[in-house]
Amino acid sequence: GDLFLNALLMIVAPLVMLSMITGVTGMGDIRKLGSLGRHTILYYLFTTGLAVLWGILLVNVVRPGAGISHGESVPGAEYSLTGPRVTFSDGLQRMSYDNRYVVTLTDQGLTAPIEEVGSGWIQVGPWTDTEGNPAEPEASGKGIEIGLPIADKIKGKPKTVRETMEQVLRGLLPRNLFAAMADNQVLPLIVFSLLLGGVLTTLGDLGRPAIALFDSLNAAIMGIVHLVMRAAPVGIFGLVAGRIAQAGGFEGFVPELMALARYFGTVVAGLGLHGIVVLPAILWAVGRRNPFRYAANMATALLNAFCTASSSATIPLTLQGVEERNEVSPRVAGFVVPL
């Protein structure tokens, strides 16, 4: 599964760049991109707006977070430590804390993940200070706080619309194109490829050899995609089996799913409404295509997206399904899919 995922990620950067360059140069006149680009962006804004609307409606109707504790703080609770066990005076609620929570000794500023909870005691893992360094707490004190730590992948993310827009705008142009390729930063690669492809169409005879080279390289990359796809059944099987095994098999997976049932159900309802009702309706009404047949032709890409949660890793499979199985123009697909 890891080898299959690595193979997909390996070809994302060249695939995105070459498909965008050939998509732009294949139109001949850069001015033709205006209509396609305008329609693509308007479509994405419209469907994204609908998705946000469904999300807001569902989360306010279902309220999946209602009743879930984010933790509690009892400044007056006295505690004592015996090895990994923290014994405390009454004051904390008897909640089913697990290892997703952490306990903080507020007077010492030390934190440890919770491993087990009993009546009047908590067993914890190793203690760390505010900077994450290992530390040894004093044997007793006063003040306990229990809470859900902020995940590392969420820390530092923009919190407002303005901050988000600033981050997107700064990300349009990379300081180092090769660093963007190494990190699979798709947006700056798209911008550079659009610029390069657009300029090539204005060079006339001077640009034709470069355009022919990029066409050849794009065909070669698609050939690599076909080679990788031969391993798709085994690779996707490995990804699914690995994820389930990491969750402790179905015995460990199902209880976690039930604990998040309301949240899980809300997310699936929103995705179902958007992906099974709204988008197929647009495909049928505007594109005059059979949504069931179209989705069946995209099955490999959909399954890979489900297994990897990576839109970048799914780009090669999406392009193959769109162009070869659903017979969409490579010029259109090469521009729209990476974008």
Side-chain angles (χ1 to χ4, degrees):
D2 287 340
L3 288 172
F4 177 66
L5 184 58
N6 288 348
L8 291 175
L9 291 171
M10 174 185 69
I11 58 178
V12 166
L15 179 63
V16 168
M17 295 184 68
L18 292 169
S19 62
M20 292 295 292
I21 292 171
T22 55
V24 173
T25 57
M27 296 175 185
D29 189 340
I30 186 61
R31 289 173 296 182
K32 293 181 180 179
L33 180 62
S35 176
L36 176 61
R38 184 167 57 252
H39 283 94
T40 301
I41 293 172
L42 287 174
Y43 170 78
Y44 282 159
L45 289 174
F46 173 69
T47 53
T48 301
L50 285 178
V52 172
L53 177 62
W54 308 142
I56 292 174
L57 289 174
L58 284 168
V59 82
N60 279 281
V61 171
V62 180
R63 299 181 62 82
I68 297 177
S69 172
H70 296 277
E72 55 181 313
S73 177
V74 185
E78 295 181 354
Y79 64 83
S80 61
L81 280 71
T82 305
R85 181 172 291 194
V86 180
T87 305
F88 53 87
S89 59
D90 200 15
L92 288 171
Q93 299 178 24
R94 299 297 182 264
M95 301 175 62
S96 58
Y97 294 118
D98 56 28
N99 56 15
R100 284 189 294 264
Y101 288 83
V102 296
V103 59
T104 301
L105 308 179
T106 52
D107 58 341
Q108 301 187 50
L110 302 182
T111 301
I114 292 176
E115 294 181 347
E116 189 177 350
V117 177
S119 179
W121 58 270
I122 302 172
Q123 185 165 307
V124 299
W127 293 98
T128 56
D129 58 20
T130 54
E131 297 179 352
N133 300 314
E136 288 295 331
E138 298 180 8
S140 62
K142 189 176 183 180
I144 296 178
E145 182 177 325
I146 295 179
L148 286 166
I150 300 175
D152 291 337
K153 65 180 180 180
I154 297 176
K155 291 179 181 177
K157 281 197 171 184
K159 299 178 178 63
T160 66
V161 173
R162 178 179 176 180
E163 291 176 347
T164 302
M165 293 303 297
E166 287 179 352
Q167 186 182 66
V168 170
L169 289 174
R170 289 195 188 99
L172 290 175
L173 294 175
R175 294 184 179 183
N176 187 317
L177 180 65
F178 295 99
M181 293 173 65
D183 294 335
N184 274 331
Q185 298 176 17
V186 176
L187 189 57
L189 297 183
I190 289 174
V191 173
F192 176 81
S193 302
L194 286 174
L195 289 172
L196 181 58
V199 170
L200 284 174
T201 63
T202 67
L203 297 180
D205 293 339
L206 188 61
R208 288 195 181 94
I211 293 173
L213 174 63
F214 284 124
D215 286 339
S216 298
L217 290 173
N218 187 57
I221 286 293
M222 289 308 298
I224 295 176
V225 171
H226 294 155
L227 289 175
V228 174
M229 282 305 301
R230 293 186 179 183
V234 177
I236 292 177
F237 170 81
L239 287 170
V240 175
R243 295 297 182 270
I244 293 176
Q246 287 172 3
F250 285 105
E251 290 184 0
F253 179 74
V254 173
E256 288 291 321
L257 187 63
M258 296 306 296
L260 299 170
R262 289 179 65 191
Y263 171 73
F264 175 81
T266 306
V267 172
V268 170
L271 293 174
L273 179 63
H274 191 66
I276 300 177
V277 178
V278 175
L279 296 181
I282 295 174
L283 178 65
W284 177 80
V286 180
R288 300 299 178 183
R289 301 290 293 272
N290 185 320
F292 298 102
R293 186 178 298 115
Y294 195 95
N297 291 336
M298 298 299 298
T300 302
L302 292 170
L303 182 58
N304 186 76
F306 175 79
C307 298
T308 63
S310 172
S311 56
S312 295
T314 311
I315 288 175
L317 310 182
T318 302
L319 277 171
Q320 185 188 46
V322 167
E323 294 179 8
E324 297 182 10
R325 298 177 183 174
N326 283 314
E327 300 179 345
V328 174
S329 166
R331 294 181 180 181
V332 175
F335 175 80
V336 172
V337 170
L339 187 63

